[in-house]
Amino acid sequence: MLKDILFVEADSCYCTIVTEHTRHTIVSTLKKFDAAVSGTHMMRIHRSYMINLQHISKIGDASVY
């Protein structure tokens, strides 16, 4: 479920989807994953990372918690 995703990390043509309890690796670029989940609470914050805005507790100068 998209609501369970904490963040997504890209590594070339793979993405690692991180939830509170598991990690899943899929064959997809972050650009394709971003297009597939557009209109949700997911936001791309770096060329290699997307975060779920519903799981943010704090935003620092150079970090998101």
Side-chain angles (χ1 to χ4, degrees):
M1 300 294 290
L2 290 175
K3 65 182 176 101
D4 296 332
I5 296 173
L6 300 176
F7 66 92
V8 180
E9 180 181 13
D11 183 20
S12 186
C13 61
Y14 296 95
C15 286
T16 301
I17 301 169
V18 180
T19 68
E20 188 174 338
H21 302 289
T22 60
R23 296 170 87 75
H24 304 279
T25 301
I26 60 171
V27 179
S28 176
T29 63
L30 193 57
K31 183 177 182 178
K32 288 181 184 178
F33 184 83
D34 188 13
V37 298
S38 66
T40 64
H41 295 283
M42 299 295 294
M43 174 185 256
R44 192 165 183 172
I45 60 167
H46 182 270
R47 80 179 229 175
S48 297
Y49 289 93
M50 288 185 76
I51 60 170
N52 187 337
L53 298 174
Q54 295 177 325
H55 292 283
I56 293 176
S57 59
K58 180 181 172 185
I59 297 176
D61 291 334
S63 301
V64 178
Y65 303 94

